[in-house]
Amino acid sequence: MTTARHVAIIMDGNGRWAKRRFLPRAMGHQRGVEAVRELVRGLEGTGIECLTLYAFSSENWKREEEEVDDLMNLMRKFIKSDLPEFIANDVKLKIIGDWQALAPDIVAMLKDALEQTAGGSRTIAVALNYGSQNEIARAAAKAATAGDITPETIAANLDTADLPPLDLLIRTSGEVRLSNFLLWQCAYAEMLFVDTLWPDFTPAHLQQALDDFANRERRYGGR
Ligand code: IPE
Ligand code: IPE
Ligand code: MG
């Protein structure tokens, strides 16, 4: 039985969750944030050392301005409301992606949150303005400046370089694609695509995913 050290989630389906209830999309995102909060609370006892969450992709800027604003405002609210709980629960925040390009006040809040949680032992890595192809290109450029471009030097320059290898990738909402998330890191990750819409995803769903993972045989090309 293997336990997953590093789990990543493509938190998809907020819009459809809202649509089914004839609610505005913003309400779906709001409930999505609540699902994140509950999941983080339920992490203790799962054995997960790092949970990486896809919160905003570099392609999500294509959405209507109103939705992007809603998402940014939710982010501001979430950092303010949940930072104390992160600190109290020994969570270390990490941000991956081109987050420094977000609004200056969000960048400042994130920097402060990173500093305040630096001593935590369980990592929550949030992908903000994240695109995997861009991450790989940046890593390759850094590797080239330092010397050789090899799989090892690229990996060492990815945003996730200091995280454990990715064990399990989960995507909610029934879509079966990666949407530019952790392409490099997924090379030998196990994958699980579930129909549950993100706002409905609970710690019990995560536990089910971990149980499923525990029964998989990972081969890495060997036999
Ligand atoms: C995921 O839910 C949240 C973000 C991408 C920020 P969606 O907003 O993509 O929800 P659907 O896919 O439209 O249902
Ligand atoms: C991926 O979901 C991004 C996040 C969950 C943050 P999308 O809803 O943006 O992906 P596509 O457009 O369906 O591929
Ligand atoms: Mg979606």
Side-chain angles (χ1 to χ4, degrees):
M1 199 127 133
T2 31
T3 47
R5 295 174 64 199
H6 184 180
V7 176
I9 308 183
I10 301 176
M11 308 184 291
D12 197 15
N14 295 349
R16 278 162 284 169
W17 184 93
K19 195 172 177 196
R20 282 183 196 175
R21 288 165 177 76
F22 306 101
L23 293 169
R25 290 181 67 85
M27 195 61 81
H29 294 312
Q30 168 73 47
R31 294 295 292 263
V33 169
E34 286 164 24
V36 170
R37 183 176 292 131
E38 289 306 316
L39 206 65
V40 173
R41 285 181 181 155
L43 272 188
E44 221 179 289
T46 59
I48 294 175
E49 292 168 38
C50 176
L51 181 68
T52 299
L53 300 171
Y54 205 5
F56 192 85
S57 80
S58 49
E59 287 76 33
N60 286 148
W61 296 109
K62 292 180 196 162
R63 297 188 180 199
E64 280 180 26
E65 200 181 322
E66 189 189 340
E67 182 170 3
V68 172
D69 284 350
D70 286 341
L71 287 165
M72 294 300 151
N73 285 331
L74 267 176
M75 209 175 312
R76 290 182 174 96
K77 253 174 75 182
F78 182 66
I79 304 166
K80 267 201 199 118
S81 59
D82 286 54
L83 182 59
E85 196 172 317
F86 273 32
I87 298 167
N89 289 324
D90 205 23
V91 165
K92 176 181 182 164
L93 184 70
K94 180 180 167 76
I95 315 287
I96 62 172
D98 192 9
W99 60 278
Q100 310 258 7
L102 295 173
D105 70 302
I106 296 184
V107 173
M109 285 171 87
L110 289 172
K111 277 186 183 155
D112 173 59
L114 290 171
E115 269 171 36
Q116 291 207 53
T117 60
S121 57
R122 199 186 350 260
T123 300
I124 302 290
V126 185
L128 291 178
N129 193 18
Y130 176 90
S132 185
Q133 291 178 337
N134 176 272
E135 179 196 27
I136 294 168
R138 282 189 282 113
K142 276 192 216 155
T145 310
D148 272 357
I149 304 184
T150 66
E152 289 73 25
T153 61
I154 290 176
N157 283 292
L158 292 172
D159 297 353
T160 54
D162 54 340
L163 301 177
L166 182 62
D167 292 310
L168 175 64
L169 176 100
I170 302 169
R171 182 172 188 146
T172 60
S173 88
E175 309 295 346
V176 185
R177 56 175 170 263
L178 293 178
S179 301
N180 204 11
F181 191 47
L182 303 179
L183 304 180
W184 182 284
Q185 296 85 344
C186 277
Y188 267 105
E190 295 294 322
M191 300 197 184
L192 183 65
F193 298 90
V194 297
D195 288 336
T196 313
L197 300 175
W198 177 250
D200 292 327
F201 195 87
T202 63
H205 288 99
L206 178 64
Q207 191 52 55
Q208 267 173 29
L210 294 174
D211 293 345
D212 178 320
F213 173 85
N215 290 315
R216 297 208 189 175
E217 186 194 353
R218 301 179 84 185
R219 295 192 180 155
Y220 301 99
R223 55 153 295 166

